[in-house]
Each structure stands twice: as C-alpha cells, then as structure tokens.
Amino acid sequence: MSKIQLDYSYVTDFIKEKDLHKMQTKVTEVHQVIEDRTGIGSDFLGWLDLPNRVKIADLERINRVADDVRKNSDVLVVIGIGGSYLGAKAVIDALSHSFHNSLPNKTPQVFFAGQNMSAKYYDDLKDVLLNRKVSVNVISKSGTTTEPALGLRYLRDILSGSMAKEQVRQRIIATTDESKGSLKKMADKEGYETFVIPDDVGGRYSVLTPVGLLPIAVAGININELLQGARDMEKLLKEPDIMKNPAYMYAAIRFMLHTTGNKAIEILTNFDPSLHYFSEWWKQLYGESEGKDNKSLYPASVDFSTDLHSMGQWIQQGTRNIFETFLWVEKSRGGAQVPKLDEDTDGFNFLAGQNFDAVNRKAYEGVTLAHHDGKVPNMTVLIPEMNAYYMGQLIFFFEKACAMSGYLLRVNPFDQPGVEAYKSNMFALLGKAGFEAKAKEVNEHLKSVQRKIV
Ligand code: PA5
C-alpha cells in the first residue's frame, strides 16, 4: 500500500538542506519525549496509539448504532463545536457527494449544529428538518459547552413537537465524558445511548474516537478503513529520522521557516472544494495547539483554483511573510471531461476530451512554481487517493506532526487556556450564576471603553 509523502522541492531555496539536517538532533530528542510521554501535557497523548487501541467490540457497537440511525433517519444532526465537530465534518465532506452531505441515496444526510449561535441558522435548520425523520448525535467532551448545550435544547424541542418522549429518547445519542459534565448527567437521566470520549484524548485530537467515528459511519464511510490508514501511518511515524518520517520533516520545515525564515503565516492549500473543511480541522489543530505564549505560525487556508482569483494575487506579490503547504491528491475521483464545441468560440477546444482533474493538475504545477518564484516557499503533502484509508493516514500525519511542531516550539500542544477568556466575559454579560463579580468587572470595563463609531 502506498503512503502519504512530503514533497519539499520548493523549500530548499529558502532553507539550506544542511541546516535542515541539523534539526535532526532536536527532532530525535522531541521524538523520544513524545514516545516516552514525558513532555508537558503528556496526559493528553492518548491519540498517539488510538488507532491500535480501539477495541473491536467498540467498533462493532459504533457500526451497529450507525446502521440503526441509517435505517431510521433521513437526517442525522451532529451537535458539537471545535474538536467535537470539525473532524467528522472534514472527513464526511472529503468523502461524500458534493451536494448531498453523505453518500447519495444510501445514507441520511448529515447536518451540523451547536457550532454557532445564529438564530437564522437554527430557523433554517428547523425548516429543512420539517417532515423528515431526524436523529441527533450530541458531542461534548466537557459536557458543559454553551453552543452545543443550546443546540441540544433546540433539537429536543423540535423532536418533542412531533413525537412522544420515549421516541425522542431513542433518537438522541450522546458522546461525552465517562463520568463528568452536565451532558453525561442528562444522558443518564434521559437514558440516551452513550459513547465515551477517552480522558487522555483532547477535543481536536478526537476524530478517531466515537466523536468522529459515529457520524462518519452514519454517512456511509468505512471507519475500519479509516482506522487502518491511521494505524499504518502510526507505524511509519515511529521513525525518528526526518528523511524517513514525512510528518517530522514537515514539522522541522515549518519550525525553521518560522524561527529562522521569519515566516508568520502558513497557508494550507487544496485543489478540491471537498477538502475545505479538512483545512478548517487543520487550522483548529495547529491554531489551538501552538498559538500560545505569544508565539507560533498563524494557520490560514485557501481553496484553489477558486481563491487563485482572489487571494492568489496577495500570495504572489503581497507581504513576504508566508509559506504554503499544498494538499495534492494524485488520483482523480471524477470522470467529468471538457466538452468540444462545434465552433471554438471560447478558444478552449484544445482541452476538449481532457478530464477536469488533468487541467487542475496543471494549475497546481503552475501555481507551486509561480509562488516559489514569487518567494513563497511551498511544500506538498502528496495523497495517493482520496478515500477513507488515506484520510486516516492524513489525519494521523498532521496530528503527529503537530505534537512534534508544538514541542519544537516549546509550547504545550495539548491545552487551550486562551479559549476560556471569552467564555467568562460572555457568561458574565448573560448574567449566569457564579459570574456576579466578573459581571461587575466586565460591565465597568465596557463602560470605560470610549466608543468610536463613524
Ligand atoms: O480542542 C478542543 O479541546 C476544543 O476545541 C473543544 O473541542 C471545543 O471547545 C468543544 O469542547 P467540548 O467537546 O467540551 O464541548
């Protein structure tokens, strides 16, 4: 079976190869810290051997529950935010029909909620759920997050409008902590089917737990193949040598571009709209893992060729503080070809009969070269084919690289203390019990702000 590889040909004009090789000593040290689980935050390294640790009985249960949902539902609404939705959304979008949100005609559509607090979004969701058989998977590790809690209230209300309490109970599945949190309490009280998120796996590393596996299985995607891909990548990435470990090479390059090459922004780039949410998952993984202690790269993303007609200009000629990481899928999944016109009015008959992806490939080859010539170092993660197996490889590749990268930067890649700041302000402003002192402070602070509005 082939594997994901890293092409770094367009980096070596910006980082000397001998300097890259000097990184090996640091990488070997960090590798040992990861494998021995002795680094900061190592209580959350459970994802490291997760693909191998998952029990057959647990997988069978996930597949069984997913089958039931598929038989009984037109729609599955997945409620969760951050790490509790982005992994499933990324995999489902990457592997499903572009206009159906799952595999067409075989599975329920998978919609997402609890990832925002827009009244319009919830109105619209209610509209599309009308007269459809709906199941709900609510996911929250802490079990206390505002957005999914409100989303669950709303969905329960919708379900209760058309069915008895017992039927509502049968249509809700909770994925949460084994013992803590209000979601766990509610699930126990109501008798919901429940899946457990392991203690030692943080939200953004949890896609290969029931958090991602259940919705992905409901969408008709083979989770056994997904895990096999992750397992094979896990084995490959046990190698400390950066010349044999593409994830470590990727981490070493981004570290050098940031610290000695003065790059502030990494742009993840794809050539297929189905990978848009993969970039969103990646942004959370790197943004939340590394963005602390006043350091780290800003993880950004674009979708090509679409964004070549917007951000392409900036990337080619704007501030030179960026580098790009391309995702390129080698094998085409589609058969669409460029039709021939009787009269070549638009001048594109020279492409007639070509698969769209063959044209897309030339755009990729052209743009990596152009951006390199425009002084944007770039590398490519080469993906042999877009299927569940390689998606599993890709997920594990970026997770392992993120641990290496975070430790190289000397941050704790597994916590997210900064996420709490907005929450306590919001709770204070909403008048939540227990936030009275904070409310006083926030209100005084708000009053002191000199509003300048034109
Ligand atoms: O990666 C993380 O830990 C976060 O993004 C969480 O996943 C997110 O805040 C949601 O938290 P919870 O699953 O506890 O509702």
Side-chain angles (χ1 to χ4, degrees), residues 4-5 19 23 41 44 66 75 85 87 90 166-167 176 188 208 243 261 310 325 329-330 345 361 381 418 430 434 453:
I4 279 168
Q5 293 177 302
D19 291 338
M23 284 291 296
F44 286 96
V75 176
Y85 101 100
E166 173 55 19
Q167 286 171 299
T176 189
D188 286 348
L208 300 176
M243 295 311 290
S310 56
T325 300
V329 182
E330 301 277 14
T345 39
R361 171 178 272 280
V381 177
L430 286 168
I453 299 170

PDB file of all heavy atoms in Angstrom, residues 4-5 19 23 41 44 66 75 85 87 90 166-167 176 188 208 243 261 310 325 329-330 345 361 381 418 430 434 453:
ATOM      1  N   ILE A   4       1.209   8.476   2.178  1.00  0.00           N
ATOM      2  CA  ILE A   4       1.317   9.922   2.039  1.00  0.00           C
ATOM      3  C   ILE A   4       2.787  10.326   2.104  1.00  0.00           C
ATOM      4  O   ILE A   4       3.547   9.801   2.918  1.00  0.00           O
ATOM      5  CB  ILE A   4       0.481  10.565   3.157  1.00  0.00           C
ATOM      6  CG1 ILE A   4      -0.981  10.540   2.696  1.00  0.00           C
ATOM      7  CG2 ILE A   4       0.928  11.962   3.492  1.00  0.00           C
ATOM      8  CD1 ILE A   4      -1.959  10.846   3.737  1.00  0.00           C
ATOM      9  N   GLN A   5       3.175  11.243   1.230  1.00  0.00           N
ATOM     10  CA  GLN A   5       4.572  11.685   1.209  1.00  0.00           C
ATOM     11  C   GLN A   5       4.629  13.214   1.232  1.00  0.00           C
ATOM     12  O   GLN A   5       3.631  13.881   0.958  1.00  0.00           O
ATOM     13  CB  GLN A   5       5.245  11.188  -0.071  1.00  0.00           C
ATOM     14  CG  GLN A   5       5.395   9.678  -0.120  1.00  0.00           C
ATOM     15  CD  GLN A   5       5.997   9.235  -1.442  1.00  0.00           C
ATOM     16  OE1 GLN A   5       5.446   9.506  -2.506  1.00  0.00           O
ATOM     17  NE2 GLN A   5       7.137   8.579  -1.366  1.00  0.00           N
ATOM     18  N   ASP A  19      21.167  22.912   7.013  1.00  0.00           N
ATOM     19  CA  ASP A  19      20.532  23.409   8.244  1.00  0.00           C
ATOM     20  C   ASP A  19      19.347  22.530   8.640  1.00  0.00           C
ATOM     21  O   ASP A  19      19.092  22.297   9.822  1.00  0.00           O
ATOM     22  CB  ASP A  19      20.065  24.856   8.062  1.00  0.00           C
ATOM     23  CG  ASP A  19      21.253  25.805   7.953  1.00  0.00           C
ATOM     24  OD1 ASP A  19      22.343  25.421   8.429  1.00  0.00           O
ATOM     25  OD2 ASP A  19      21.096  26.899   7.373  1.00  0.00           O
ATOM     26  N   MET A  23      18.556  19.941  12.175  1.00  0.00           N
ATOM     27  CA  MET A  23      17.360  19.830  13.027  1.00  0.00           C
ATOM     28  C   MET A  23      17.197  18.426  13.614  1.00  0.00           C
ATOM     29  O   MET A  23      16.441  18.211  14.559  1.00  0.00           O
ATOM     30  CB  MET A  23      16.089  20.148  12.209  1.00  0.00           C
ATOM     31  CG  MET A  23      15.846  21.592  11.908  1.00  0.00           C
ATOM     32  SD  MET A  23      15.430  22.516  13.392  1.00  0.00           S
ATOM     33  CE  MET A  23      13.885  21.768  13.877  1.00  0.00           C
ATOM     34  N   GLY A  41       2.006  18.234  29.116  1.00  0.00           N
ATOM     35  CA  GLY A  41       0.701  17.892  28.526  1.00  0.00           C
ATOM     36  C   GLY A  41       0.570  16.440  28.110  1.00  0.00           C
ATOM     37  O   GLY A  41      -0.391  16.065  27.430  1.00  0.00           O
ATOM     38  N   PHE A  44      -2.409  13.984  27.713  1.00  0.00           N
ATOM     39  CA  PHE A  44      -3.338  14.017  26.582  1.00  0.00           C
ATOM     40  C   PHE A  44      -2.735  13.400  25.319  1.00  0.00           C
ATOM     41  O   PHE A  44      -3.040  13.812  24.209  1.00  0.00           O
ATOM     42  CB  PHE A  44      -3.798  15.458  26.317  1.00  0.00           C
ATOM     43  CG  PHE A  44      -4.778  15.922  27.345  1.00  0.00           C
ATOM     44  CD1 PHE A  44      -4.359  16.650  28.440  1.00  0.00           C
ATOM     45  CD2 PHE A  44      -6.120  15.595  27.246  1.00  0.00           C
ATOM     46  CE1 PHE A  44      -5.250  17.056  29.420  1.00  0.00           C
ATOM     47  CE2 PHE A  44      -7.026  15.990  28.214  1.00  0.00           C
ATOM     48  CZ  PHE A  44      -6.594  16.727  29.309  1.00  0.00           C
ATOM     49  N   ALA A  66     -24.710   3.097  14.088  1.00  0.00           N
ATOM     50  CA  ALA A  66     -24.764   3.864  12.829  1.00  0.00           C
ATOM     51  C   ALA A  66     -25.758   3.224  11.865  1.00  0.00           C
ATOM     52  O   ALA A  66     -26.543   3.920  11.202  1.00  0.00           O
ATOM     53  CB  ALA A  66     -23.368   3.931  12.201  1.00  0.00           C
ATOM     54  N   VAL A  75     -32.158  12.286   8.257  1.00  0.00           N
ATOM     55  CA  VAL A  75     -31.111  13.258   8.595  1.00  0.00           C
ATOM     56  C   VAL A  75     -30.514  12.899   9.959  1.00  0.00           C
ATOM     57  O   VAL A  75     -31.242  12.555  10.885  1.00  0.00           O
ATOM     58  CB  VAL A  75     -31.703  14.695   8.708  1.00  0.00           C
ATOM     59  CG1 VAL A  75     -30.633  15.683   9.157  1.00  0.00           C
ATOM     60  CG2 VAL A  75     -32.325  15.156   7.405  1.00  0.00           C
ATOM     61  N   TYR A  85     -16.682  18.654  16.379  1.00  0.00           N
ATOM     62  CA  TYR A  85     -17.384  18.545  15.092  1.00  0.00           C
ATOM     63  C   TYR A  85     -16.467  18.611  13.870  1.00  0.00           C
ATOM     64  O   TYR A  85     -16.761  18.004  12.841  1.00  0.00           O
ATOM     65  CB  TYR A  85     -18.499  19.592  15.001  1.00  0.00           C
ATOM     66  CG  TYR A  85     -18.212  20.847  14.187  1.00  0.00           C
ATOM     67  CD1 TYR A  85     -18.684  20.989  12.883  1.00  0.00           C
ATOM     68  CD2 TYR A  85     -17.483  21.899  14.730  1.00  0.00           C
ATOM     69  CE1 TYR A  85     -18.441  22.147  12.148  1.00  0.00           C
ATOM     70  CE2 TYR A  85     -17.242  23.054  14.004  1.00  0.00           C
ATOM     71  CZ  TYR A  85     -17.718  23.171  12.712  1.00  0.00           C
ATOM     72  OH  TYR A  85     -17.486  24.302  12.002  1.00  0.00           O
ATOM     73  N   GLY A  87     -13.590  17.330  12.911  1.00  0.00           N
ATOM     74  CA  GLY A  87     -13.028  16.111  12.325  1.00  0.00           C
ATOM     75  C   GLY A  87     -14.069  15.366  11.506  1.00  0.00           C
ATOM     76  O   GLY A  87     -13.816  14.967  10.363  1.00  0.00           O
ATOM     77  N   ALA A  90     -14.889  17.308   8.391  1.00  0.00           N
ATOM     78  CA  ALA A  90     -13.799  17.240   7.413  1.00  0.00           C
ATOM     79  C   ALA A  90     -13.846  15.923   6.634  1.00  0.00           C
ATOM     80  O   ALA A  90     -13.771  15.913   5.397  1.00  0.00           O
ATOM     81  CB  ALA A  90     -12.451  17.372   8.123  1.00  0.00           C
ATOM     82  N   GLU A 166     -40.590   8.942  24.712  1.00  0.00           N
ATOM     83  CA  GLU A 166     -39.819   7.715  24.516  1.00  0.00           C
ATOM     84  C   GLU A 166     -39.183   7.689  23.112  1.00  0.00           C
ATOM     85  O   GLU A 166     -38.046   7.261  22.933  1.00  0.00           O
ATOM     86  CB  GLU A 166     -40.744   6.503  24.735  1.00  0.00           C
ATOM     87  CG  GLU A 166     -40.149   5.158  24.410  1.00  0.00           C
ATOM     88  CD  GLU A 166     -38.829   4.864  25.149  1.00  0.00           C
ATOM     89  OE1 GLU A 166     -38.526   5.514  26.165  1.00  0.00           O
ATOM     90  OE2 GLU A 166     -38.089   3.975  24.658  1.00  0.00           O
ATOM     91  N   GLN A 167     -39.934   8.189  22.140  1.00  0.00           N
ATOM     92  CA  GLN A 167     -39.370   8.227  20.775  1.00  0.00           C
ATOM     93  C   GLN A 167     -38.224   9.229  20.684  1.00  0.00           C
ATOM     94  O   GLN A 167     -37.224   8.979  20.019  1.00  0.00           O
ATOM     95  CB  GLN A 167     -40.457   8.598  19.761  1.00  0.00           C
ATOM     96  CG  GLN A 167     -41.435   7.483  19.481  1.00  0.00           C
ATOM     97  CD  GLN A 167     -42.581   8.001  18.645  1.00  0.00           C
ATOM     98  OE1 GLN A 167     -43.314   8.905  19.068  1.00  0.00           O
ATOM     99  NE2 GLN A 167     -42.713   7.465  17.448  1.00  0.00           N
ATOM    100  N   THR A 176     -19.757  11.747  25.113  1.00  0.00           N
ATOM    101  CA  THR A 176     -19.253  12.655  26.146  1.00  0.00           C
ATOM    102  C   THR A 176     -18.297  11.928  27.094  1.00  0.00           C
ATOM    103  O   THR A 176     -17.908  10.789  26.830  1.00  0.00           O
ATOM    104  CB  THR A 176     -20.439  13.315  26.905  1.00  0.00           C
ATOM    105  OG1 THR A 176     -19.931  14.339  27.753  1.00  0.00           O
ATOM    106  CG2 THR A 176     -21.250  12.320  27.717  1.00  0.00           C
ATOM    107  N   ASP A 188     -27.679  10.202  31.262  1.00  0.00           N
ATOM    108  CA  ASP A 188     -28.041   9.145  32.218  1.00  0.00           C
ATOM    109  C   ASP A 188     -29.498   9.275  32.633  1.00  0.00           C
ATOM    110  O   ASP A 188     -30.237   8.291  32.681  1.00  0.00           O
ATOM    111  CB  ASP A 188     -27.147   9.227  33.470  1.00  0.00           C
ATOM    112  CG  ASP A 188     -25.741   8.718  33.181  1.00  0.00           C
ATOM    113  OD1 ASP A 188     -25.541   8.108  32.109  1.00  0.00           O
ATOM    114  OD2 ASP A 188     -24.843   8.950  34.021  1.00  0.00           O
ATOM    115  N   LEU A 208     -10.699  10.212  15.721  1.00  0.00           N
ATOM    116  CA  LEU A 208     -10.685   8.748  15.598  1.00  0.00           C
ATOM    117  C   LEU A 208     -11.282   8.040  16.824  1.00  0.00           C
ATOM    118  O   LEU A 208     -11.122   6.847  17.003  1.00  0.00           O
ATOM    119  CB  LEU A 208      -9.260   8.251  15.314  1.00  0.00           C
ATOM    120  CG  LEU A 208      -8.647   8.824  14.010  1.00  0.00           C
ATOM    121  CD1 LEU A 208      -7.205   8.381  13.837  1.00  0.00           C
ATOM    122  CD2 LEU A 208      -9.467   8.437  12.775  1.00  0.00           C
ATOM    123  N   MET A 243      14.425  12.085   7.307  1.00  0.00           N
ATOM    124  CA  MET A 243      14.464  11.670   5.902  1.00  0.00           C
ATOM    125  C   MET A 243      13.531  10.475   5.645  1.00  0.00           C
ATOM    126  O   MET A 243      13.264  10.118   4.511  1.00  0.00           O
ATOM    127  CB  MET A 243      15.897  11.313   5.468  1.00  0.00           C
ATOM    128  CG  MET A 243      16.852  12.489   5.481  1.00  0.00           C
ATOM    129  SD  MET A 243      16.191  13.955   4.614  1.00  0.00           S
ATOM    130  CE  MET A 243      16.238  13.423   2.916  1.00  0.00           C
ATOM    131  N   GLY A 261      13.372  31.719   9.190  1.00  0.00           N
ATOM    132  CA  GLY A 261      12.969  32.301   7.895  1.00  0.00           C
ATOM    133  C   GLY A 261      11.996  33.453   8.054  1.00  0.00           C
ATOM    134  O   GLY A 261      11.517  34.003   7.057  1.00  0.00           O
ATOM    135  N   SER A 310      -8.772  35.355  -6.147  1.00  0.00           N
ATOM    136  CA  SER A 310      -8.968  36.359  -5.086  1.00  0.00           C
ATOM    137  C   SER A 310      -7.658  36.496  -4.307  1.00  0.00           C
ATOM    138  O   SER A 310      -6.880  37.399  -4.539  1.00  0.00           O
ATOM    139  CB  SER A 310     -10.140  35.976  -4.181  1.00  0.00           C
ATOM    140  OG  SER A 310      -9.949  34.691  -3.626  1.00  0.00           O
ATOM    141  N   THR A 325       1.516  25.161   2.318  1.00  0.00           N
ATOM    142  CA  THR A 325       1.545  23.701   2.302  1.00  0.00           C
ATOM    143  C   THR A 325       0.374  23.251   1.438  1.00  0.00           C
ATOM    144  O   THR A 325      -0.785  23.537   1.754  1.00  0.00           O
ATOM    145  CB  THR A 325       1.422  23.133   3.729  1.00  0.00           C
ATOM    146  OG1 THR A 325       2.530  23.619   4.497  1.00  0.00           O
ATOM    147  CG2 THR A 325       1.439  21.616   3.724  1.00  0.00           C
ATOM    148  N   VAL A 329      -4.001  15.583  -4.331  1.00  0.00           N
ATOM    149  CA  VAL A 329      -4.479  14.200  -4.444  1.00  0.00           C
ATOM    150  C   VAL A 329      -4.092  13.678  -5.826  1.00  0.00           C
ATOM    151  O   VAL A 329      -4.477  14.255  -6.855  1.00  0.00           O
ATOM    152  CB  VAL A 329      -6.016  14.139  -4.260  1.00  0.00           C
ATOM    153  CG1 VAL A 329      -6.489  12.693  -4.330  1.00  0.00           C
ATOM    154  CG2 VAL A 329      -6.427  14.782  -2.936  1.00  0.00           C
ATOM    155  N   GLU A 330      -3.293  12.598  -5.847  1.00  0.00           N
ATOM    156  CA  GLU A 330      -2.734  12.111  -7.110  1.00  0.00           C
ATOM    157  C   GLU A 330      -3.793  11.537  -8.058  1.00  0.00           C
ATOM    158  O   GLU A 330      -3.743  11.765  -9.252  1.00  0.00           O
ATOM    159  CB  GLU A 330      -1.686  11.013  -6.838  1.00  0.00           C
ATOM    160  CG  GLU A 330      -0.517  11.463  -5.976  1.00  0.00           C
ATOM    161  CD  GLU A 330       0.561  12.166  -6.792  1.00  0.00           C
ATOM    162  OE1 GLU A 330       0.313  12.547  -7.936  1.00  0.00           O
ATOM    163  OE2 GLU A 330       1.667  12.326  -6.242  1.00  0.00           O
ATOM    164  N   THR A 345     -15.601  28.946 -29.958  1.00  0.00           N
ATOM    165  CA  THR A 345     -15.799  30.374 -29.667  1.00  0.00           C
ATOM    166  C   THR A 345     -14.999  30.869 -28.458  1.00  0.00           C
ATOM    167  O   THR A 345     -14.545  32.001 -28.431  1.00  0.00           O
ATOM    168  CB  THR A 345     -17.299  30.674 -29.425  1.00  0.00           C
ATOM    169  OG1 THR A 345     -17.848  29.585 -28.694  1.00  0.00           O
ATOM    170  CG2 THR A 345     -18.061  30.844 -30.721  1.00  0.00           C
ATOM    171  N   ARG A 361      -4.492  19.676 -12.397  1.00  0.00           N
ATOM    172  CA  ARG A 361      -3.091  19.326 -12.085  1.00  0.00           C
ATOM    173  C   ARG A 361      -2.131  20.364 -12.655  1.00  0.00           C
ATOM    174  O   ARG A 361      -1.154  20.747 -12.009  1.00  0.00           O
ATOM    175  CB  ARG A 361      -2.747  17.934 -12.624  1.00  0.00           C
ATOM    176  CG  ARG A 361      -1.270  17.610 -12.524  1.00  0.00           C
ATOM    177  CD  ARG A 361      -0.929  16.228 -13.012  1.00  0.00           C
ATOM    178  NE  ARG A 361      -1.051  15.237 -11.963  1.00  0.00           N
ATOM    179  CZ  ARG A 361      -0.131  15.016 -11.005  1.00  0.00           C
ATOM    180  NH1 ARG A 361       0.978  15.714 -10.967  1.00  0.00           N
ATOM    181  NH2 ARG A 361      -0.319  14.098 -10.097  1.00  0.00           N
ATOM    182  N   VAL A 381       1.878  17.992   0.494  1.00  0.00           N
ATOM    183  CA  VAL A 381       1.563  16.684   1.052  1.00  0.00           C
ATOM    184  C   VAL A 381       0.882  15.912  -0.081  1.00  0.00           C
ATOM    185  O   VAL A 381      -0.201  16.292  -0.535  1.00  0.00           O
ATOM    186  CB  VAL A 381       0.631  16.818   2.277  1.00  0.00           C
ATOM    187  CG1 VAL A 381       0.244  15.444   2.803  1.00  0.00           C
ATOM    188  CG2 VAL A 381       1.303  17.646   3.368  1.00  0.00           C
ATOM    189  N   GLY A 418      -6.411  29.794  26.462  1.00  0.00           N
ATOM    190  CA  GLY A 418      -6.931  31.056  25.937  1.00  0.00           C
ATOM    191  C   GLY A 418      -8.395  31.007  25.546  1.00  0.00           C
ATOM    192  O   GLY A 418      -9.046  32.045  25.423  1.00  0.00           O
ATOM    193  N   LEU A 430     -24.190  37.580  30.257  1.00  0.00           N
ATOM    194  CA  LEU A 430     -25.503  36.926  30.182  1.00  0.00           C
ATOM    195  C   LEU A 430     -26.146  36.790  31.555  1.00  0.00           C
ATOM    196  O   LEU A 430     -27.305  36.398  31.674  1.00  0.00           O
ATOM    197  CB  LEU A 430     -25.361  35.528  29.560  1.00  0.00           C
ATOM    198  CG  LEU A 430     -25.110  35.483  28.039  1.00  0.00           C
ATOM    199  CD1 LEU A 430     -24.688  34.090  27.617  1.00  0.00           C
ATOM    200  CD2 LEU A 430     -26.343  35.928  27.260  1.00  0.00           C
ATOM    201  N   GLY A 434     -22.891  32.677  39.513  1.00  0.00           N
ATOM    202  CA  GLY A 434     -21.483  32.376  39.788  1.00  0.00           C
ATOM    203  C   GLY A 434     -20.539  33.362  39.120  1.00  0.00           C
ATOM    204  O   GLY A 434     -19.340  33.357  39.373  1.00  0.00           O
ATOM    205  N   ILE A 453     -17.480  55.392  16.768  1.00  0.00           N
ATOM    206  CA  ILE A 453     -18.222  54.779  15.670  1.00  0.00           C
ATOM    207  C   ILE A 453     -18.482  55.849  14.607  1.00  0.00           C
ATOM    208  O   ILE A 453     -18.960  56.938  14.944  1.00  0.00           O
ATOM    209  CB  ILE A 453     -19.570  54.206  16.186  1.00  0.00           C
ATOM    210  CG1 ILE A 453     -19.300  53.120  17.242  1.00  0.00           C
ATOM    211  CG2 ILE A 453     -20.406  53.650  15.049  1.00  0.00           C
ATOM    212  CD1 ILE A 453     -20.512  52.636  18.016  1.00  0.00           C
TER     213      ILE A 453
END
